Amino acid sequence: PPDAAGYTRHFDFAVELVKRGHQVRIFSSSFSHRTGQQRLAENNIYGTERVAGVEFVWVKTFAYEKNNWRRVANMLSYAVRVVPAGLVTSGSPDVILASSPHLFAGLSGYILSKIKKAKFILEIRDLWPQTFIDIGGYSNTSPLVRILKVMENFLYRKASKIISLLPRAFVYMNKLGIKKQKIICIPNGVDAQFFENNEASLPEDLHKLISKLKASGKILVGHIGSCGIANSVYTIIGAARLLQEKGYEKIHFLLVGDGPLKNEIIKTAKKLGLKNISFYQSIPKKEVTEILKAIDIGVTASPKSNLYRFGVSINKIFDYMICAKPIVSALDSPNDAVTESGCGITVPPESSEEMAKAMIRIYNMSENQRHEMGTKGYEYVNKYHSFPTLTDNLLEAIRD
């Protein structure tokens, strides 16, 4: 839900479905990947909560800090405990939708669908194990990759329908023998009303930081999200270094979020003597809107990877768009919302130099020109990525 840090994709779908008369129950991990905090009290294995008409069932999962065996234990603890949680809850669902990234959730969803006699829909947000190969450096012969490939093939075949966030995921799945008709692309989106009507306040120290920077005439470049391998934050650090060296003191970077690489990135910024960058921890989604209103430019960066040949659906880009912010994006993908909408500049991945040049171009624009550029993104995201539209597509997949 919006009071937690991270994606609200399924909550946003659920809210829209409830408006249309459907009943929705979300089974969610009690442990937050973003903040490292538990939602449930120490002695509770399960808990329920209702948010905006949507019922959440919280499942106690194993805590972890890094991408090691403890994170795998977290995934397995969810997969094991969500099955009895699903069995004891009342009602007979028509559809069970199991969402990745980890495929253990898919396996649990399939088991529950057989017991509950419900249709099984599999949502693939990350292509596992291909992500491990293309970004993580794993070999095709790795035991982990082999296990995940068996699970992947099994779940693809058992699903009544496969939802993918990536527009060309069907190319990948076709090679595994899955027909294109079985696959539907439903990308990430935004709840425009939430962004426009939300009035949450920022933590006091963050509010003071932003106010101080704005009062000194800074152009704020915001990166809202995780500091991990898939986010290529080092590209942003490199751009900040180049801008500082070139004397663009008015351009200041604000990175909000946690992640496995955050401590290393902070150390790198200090080692380089960067004075044009500030860091802050993850905050709930409802507070993110206030940061997005305050920044002048949104930035996102992806690494060079063959994985992106299947397309992307980067959540933070749509968040920047709905707040009408111009965007600098480092990306190489067959789909590119920034270029398609004209709301910013796309540069090659891992090129700090090109990113810095793009920042300078937007910095040199007038405030009206930046607003016009951001407005193009606002119009684009409302047309193609609003949750009412995406929910129409989801219902079509369910009814098909």
Side-chain angles (χ1 to χ4, degrees):
D3 67 347
Y7 301 129
T8 58
R9 173 181 172 89
H10 300 102
F11 171 77
D12 293 329
F13 272 127
V15 168
E16 187 64 28
L17 288 166
V18 168
K19 287 179 185 176
R20 303 184 189 196
H22 301 284
Q23 293 177 304
V24 184
R25 181 179 286 141
I26 297 177
F27 293 81
S28 185
S29 164
S30 67
F31 180 80
S32 171
H33 173 70
R34 303 283 176 181
T35 64
Q37 296 177 344
Q38 285 278 6
R39 190 91 178 189
L40 294 174
E42 187 175 345
N43 297 327
N44 293 346
I45 297 177
Y46 303 107
T48 59
E49 183 179 2
R50 188 169 290 276
V51 183
V54 179
E55 183 182 350
F56 277 84
V57 177
W58 296 103
V59 180
K60 176 64 72 67
T61 55
F62 199 74
Y64 63 92
E65 292 182 3
K66 299 179 180 179
N67 287 328
N68 53 22
W69 68 269
R70 296 180 70 90
R71 188 175 182 190
V72 177
N74 170 277
M75 298 174 188
L76 290 171
S77 64
Y78 174 84
V80 170
R81 286 177 170 170
V82 77
V83 173
L87 291 176
V88 299
T89 49
S90 61
S92 299
D94 301 294
V95 173
I96 291 177
L97 187 153
S99 182
S100 74
H102 70 78
L103 295 170
F104 306 115
L107 197 58
S108 299
Y110 171 68
I111 292 169
L112 278 169
S113 73
K114 298 302 289 183
I115 298 172
K116 292 276 190 176
K117 295 182 170 58
K119 289 293 182 182
F120 172 56
I121 293 180
L122 180 67
E123 180 182 73
I124 298 297
R125 289 185 285 156
D126 285 344
L127 290 170
W128 282 20
Q130 196 61 42
T131 300
F132 288 81
I133 298 167
D134 289 342
I135 292 182
Y138 281 74
S139 164
N140 272 304
T141 58
S142 161
L144 175 63
V145 169
R146 286 180 171 178
I147 291 169
L148 290 175
K149 280 188 174 180
V150 171
M151 291 178 64
E152 177 185 46
N153 276 284
F154 175 81
L155 292 170
Y156 284 178
R157 281 160 175 74
K158 294 298 182 181
S160 299
K161 204 81 173 177
I162 301 171
I163 296 171
S164 172
L165 278 67
L166 312 180
R168 292 188 59 78
F170 70 89
V171 175
Y172 172 84
M173 295 176 187
N174 285 168
K175 291 180 179 178
L176 299 177
I178 306 301
K179 294 181 179 180
K180 189 176 180 179
Q181 294 88 334
K182 191 176 183 177
I183 307 159
I184 182 171
C185 176
I186 305 179
N188 279 318
V190 290
D191 179 355
Q193 289 187 339
F194 173 77
F195 277 87
E196 291 168 4
N197 300 331
N198 184 57
E199 295 182 353
S201 57
L202 290 173
E204 187 176 352
D205 55 344
L206 180 56
H207 174 72
K208 286 181 177 178
L209 172 63
I210 292 173
S211 298
K212 182 181 177 181
L213 292 169
K214 298 294 281 187
S216 61
K218 302 292 187 185
I219 295 293
L220 283 186
V221 180
H223 179 273
I224 319 298
S226 179
C227 294
I229 295 173
N231 305 104
S232 196
V233 181
Y234 280 109
T235 305
I236 299 172
I237 298 294
R241 178 181 63 83
L242 290 169
L243 289 167
Q244 181 168 290
E245 289 174 355
K246 293 175 184 290
Y248 286 92
E249 298 176 355
K250 292 292 185 182
I251 301 177
H252 192 94
F253 291 80
L254 176 61
L255 275 60
V256 178
D258 295 308
L261 297 180
K262 184 173 181 180
N263 289 335
E264 292 179 26
I265 289 164
I266 292 174
K267 288 177 183 177
T268 300
K270 288 181 178 178
K271 187 178 179 180
L272 293 171
L274 298 183
K275 299 178 181 179
N276 60 350
I277 190 165
S278 301
F279 297 90
Y280 199 81
Q281 70 263 25
S282 291
I283 61 174
K285 181 69 176 281
K286 64 183 181 181
E287 295 174 9
V288 167
T289 58
E290 297 305 304
I291 296 182
L292 294 175
K293 292 173 185 176
I295 66 173
D296 300 286
I297 304 169
V299 65
T300 181
S302 300
K304 291 179 182 176
S305 174
N306 285 332
L307 184 66
Y308 300 125
R309 66 191 181 277
F310 304 116
V312 294
S313 185
I314 301 173
N315 216 55
K316 66 174 69 68
I317 286 181
F318 304 132
D319 289 349
Y320 298 150
M321 283 181 164
I322 199 63
C323 292
K325 303 299 177 179
I327 301 168
V328 174
S329 171
L331 178 68
D332 181 14
S333 168
N335 69 309
D336 175 9
V338 173
T339 300
E340 290 164 12
S341 65
C343 74
I345 301 171
T346 298
V347 301
E350 300 183 16
S351 176
S352 296
E353 185 174 349
E354 291 300 320
M355 177 173 281
K357 288 179 181 177
M359 293 291 178
I360 293 169
R361 279 181 59 189
I362 296 178
Y363 168 77
N364 286 329
M365 292 178 180
S366 68
E367 190 172 335
N368 282 340
Q369 287 174 318
R370 285 197 292 268
H371 179 70
E372 286 176 10
M373 180 177 271
T375 299
K376 292 179 181 178
Y378 176 82
E379 293 171 350
Y380 177 93
V381 79
N382 270 295
K383 184 175 181 180
Y384 298 109
H385 292 274
S386 69
F387 267 100
T389 298
L390 298 179
T391 302
D392 288 342
N393 297 338
L394 176 60
L395 287 171
E396 182 183 342
I398 290 171
R399 290 167 179 149
D400 187 6

